[in-house]
Amino acid sequence: MTRLHSGNPLPEISDPVRAMLDSMAAWTGAPEDEAQCPVRDVLDRVGQKWTLLILVALEPSPKRFSQLQRQVGDISKRMLTQTLRQLERDGMVSRQVFPTKPPSVEYALTDLGRSALAPIGALLVWADSNHETIRASREAFDAEEVS
Amino acid sequence: MTRLHSGNPLPEISDPVRAMLDSMAAWTGAPEDEAQCPVRDVLDRVGQKWTLLILVALEPSPKRFSQLQRQVGDISKRMLTQTLRQLERDGMVSRQVFPTKPPSVEYALTDLGRSALAPIGALLVWADSNHETIRASREAFDAEEVS
DNA sequence: GAGATATGGTCTCATAAATAGACCGACTAT
DNA sequence: ATAGTCGGTCTATTTATGAGACCATATCTC
């Protein structure tokens, strides 16, 4: 994996983002309106472990089922199918079947899916930039736990 | 990238972000270097379901354990403890114990934690902007499944 | 013709993770 | 006395994830 890392940019929070964060933080916990809360809803999907990996894998070009499985590597067919279905349902990914000799199915990002990659990518850049700091912090934490 | 809807902001992918995405997508699946891959590493944490909620809850001001539990609402103590420990270990959150009559423990964002909220917030803004589209897509998908 | 390979899945079963909720010891307020 | 607050831990149950067998069809190899 390539390292784009160069120093630690600690990005500022922009005004619209701050407004969003504040409005979320102001909202005091209520489990019942789970479905109402767009943030919870989308966060749950993001938290699906494979979702982001698949979106990223599809970014350069559409891919077929087994191509995806090879690329993501350690995903089971079951999880790949499930995650793709969810993404299709959410309108992030399109599914097209070609009636070739052994049937082939092509998955591609929709405009919506592609648009999600902007904020997701920003998060990944953050992850890459600050991974070293995090790793060091963990080491320090574990060291003093033992003592 | 084409903009379909004038209403929904479908953000462009910036060059550094695209570079990141491409370098990830180029990387073909290997489970062994899990720990080596900063993206997988951080993604796993982000995918923890409660992690983001807690970071967001701490953004306006530091909070105490039971304050957090009330705010997030439907989180169990066990998960709250666990998530806070992880965040502390990662250096995103600080934990300070005050020896008051009933002991009080205050959790606060570190600079690193705060910096994470910029990309996270962007994701939440995206979620909020596109939730309606997603909801509609799901409805359509479910409708034709039944037929 | 037998065997291996590839396609996109589904199905079952085992394991890992999340959840609810009881419990704890020290203290306070009623 | 009784109940409640504080920050947790512990156990038992539900849920999610993972490994891998299986399927029908077709091609390529021996």
Side-chain angles (χ1 to χ4, degrees), chain B residues 47-147:
Chain B
Q48 291 282 134
K49 178 166 191 176
W50 297 113
T51 308
L52 298 193
L53 262 347
I54 288 176
L55 288 178
V56 169
L58 287 177
E59 187 264 335
S61 64
K63 289 196 174 51
R64 297 168 52 179
F65 187 87
S66 41
Q67 243 177 324
L68 276 173
Q69 194 181 10
R70 274 190 294 272
Q71 178 158 354
V72 178
D74 53 347
I75 189 175
S76 69
K77 289 181 169 197
R78 194 179 177 284
M79 279 295 102
L80 182 54
T81 304
Q82 195 175 105
T83 308
L84 284 170
R85 282 290 182 293
Q86 280 182 339
L87 288 174
E88 189 192 355
R89 189 171 102 104
D90 289 355
M92 312 266 283
V93 156
S94 67
R95 176 177 185 271
Q96 198 178 358
V97 183
F98 296 99
T100 50
K101 317 83 185 267
S104 60
V105 181
E106 192 175 80
Y107 293 92
L109 289 182
T110 61
D111 284 336
L112 180 64
R114 221 180 326 277
S115 81
L117 280 174
I120 289 171
L123 189 59
L124 300 186
V125 169
W126 181 90
D128 193 51
S129 304
N130 297 97
H131 181 248
E132 192 47 41
T133 306
I134 292 174
R135 209 196 44 71
S137 172
R138 285 181 189 166
E139 221 163 86
F141 185 90
D142 294 345
E144 77 180 41
E145 285 301 279
V146 175
S147 65

Side-chain angles (χ1 to χ4, degrees), chain A residues 64-112:
Chain A
R64 296 168 51 180
F65 187 87
S66 41
Q67 244 178 322
L68 276 172
Q69 193 181 10
R70 275 190 294 271
Q71 178 159 354
V72 178
D74 52 347
I75 189 175
S76 67
K77 288 181 169 197
R78 193 181 177 282
M79 279 295 102
L80 182 54
T81 303
Q82 194 174 106
T83 309
L84 284 170
R85 282 291 182 291
Q86 279 182 340
L87 288 174
E88 190 193 354
R89 189 171 103 103
D90 288 355
M92 313 265 284
V93 157
S94 67
R95 177 177 184 270
Q96 198 177 0
V97 183
F98 296 99
T100 51
K101 319 85 184 268
S104 60
V105 181
E106 193 175 81
Y107 293 91
L109 289 182
T110 61
D111 284 332
L112 180 64

